[in-house]
């Protein structure tokens, strides 16, 4: 079976549900249509098997696909479905991811207050569970909202907190994102040497 060939194994309890989720995630940036197809299959199978965690994660993939297509209300609906399941499961890492994803959608909708609210929730949980990379990225996301609101001091504070975390990690991607955003603020204020 193709699913077995692609994923390498089928878990006895989870059946094809988790591999379908993984395929939906793998196809997210390659083929939105395939990603949606696998995610919808995963949701249906997870509901049937009572696999709430993977159902919630699959809703997240559906939300990401809708966001990528500019369908922000549909994205929000999927992300909130996943969030409610993660709340029931008390899945802190999953909740942090959902909060961040919801913050991204609100930012796309230019609903700054809600975006900040969800970014803060994500950041607080990432701090609690000590996920340094995601602490950096959520601080960075908060900085982008403050930047949009032209609250420069708050943006600089958030970006500097992100930079501290990114430097701890020595992760080139996270460092480049944060440094680019810091550079943009300096450029906007004509502080070219900074």
């Amino acid at each position: 079976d193709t699913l077995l060939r692609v994923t390498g194994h089928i878990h006895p309890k989870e059946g094809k549900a988790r591999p379908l989720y993984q395929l939906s995630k793998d196809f997210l940036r390659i083929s939105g249509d395939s990603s949606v197809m696998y995610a919808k299959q995963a949701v249906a199978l997870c509901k049937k098997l009572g696999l709430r965690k993977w159902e919630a994660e699959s809703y997240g993939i559906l939300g990401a696909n809708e966001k990528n297509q500019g369908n922000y209300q549909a994205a929000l609906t999927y992300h909130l479905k996943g969030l409610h399941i993660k709340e029931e499961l008390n899945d802190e890492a999953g909740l942090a991811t959902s909060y961040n994803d919801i913050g991204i959608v609100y930012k796309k909708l230019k609903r700054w207050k809600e975006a900040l609210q969800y970014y803060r929730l994500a950041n607080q949980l990432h701090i609690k569970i000590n996920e340094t990379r995601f602490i950096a990225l959520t601080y960075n996301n908060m900085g982008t909202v403050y930047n949009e609101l032209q609250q420069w001091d708050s943006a600089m504070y958030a970006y500097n907190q992100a930079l501290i975390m990114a430097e701890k990690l020595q992760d080139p991607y996270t460092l480049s994102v944060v440094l680019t955003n810091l550079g943009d603020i300096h450029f906007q204020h004509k502080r070219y040497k900074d």
Side-chain angles (χ1 to χ4, degrees), residues 40-77:
K40 285 183 175 180
Q41 288 176 22
V43 165
L45 192 54
C46 287
K47 283 182 176 181
K48 182 179 171 184
L49 298 173
L51 300 170
R52 302 289 282 160
K53 177 179 174 45
W54 299 112
E55 179 185 349
E57 296 294 338
S58 298
Y59 280 131
I61 297 296
L62 290 169
N65 273 292
E66 293 293 347
K67 178 203 55 129
N68 291 347
Q69 294 176 18
N71 302 325
Y72 302 127
Q73 289 301 328
L76 201 51
T77 298

Side-chain angles (χ1 to χ4, degrees), residues 52-53 55-56 80-91 95:
R52 302 289 282 160
K53 177 179 174 45
E55 179 185 349
L80 288 170
K81 282 183 179 183
L83 176 69
H84 295 309
I85 294 169
K86 291 172 184 179
E87 287 172 339
E88 290 171 17
L89 298 173
N90 196 30
D91 175 5
L95 282 167

Side-chain angles (χ1 to χ4, degrees), residues 1 7 24 26 33 40 52-53 59 70 77 79 90 96 122 125 128 135 145 167-168 173 178 190 193:
D1 154 274
T7 61
S24 72
D26 292 345
D33 291 341
K40 285 183 175 180
R52 302 289 282 160
K53 177 179 174 45
Y59 280 131
T77 298
H79 283 307
N90 196 30
L125 271 178
K128 180 179 177 185
I135 296 168
V145 173
E167 286 175 338
K168 268 188 191 178
Y173 170 78
V178 175
K190 300 182 181 184
K193 290 183 180 180

Side-chain angles (χ1 to χ4, degrees), residues 21-34:
Y21 157 75
Q22 189 60 51
L23 284 170
S24 72
K25 186 177 177 182
D26 292 345
F27 275 97
L28 183 61
R29 298 197 194 291
I30 301 167
S31 169
D33 291 341
S34 295

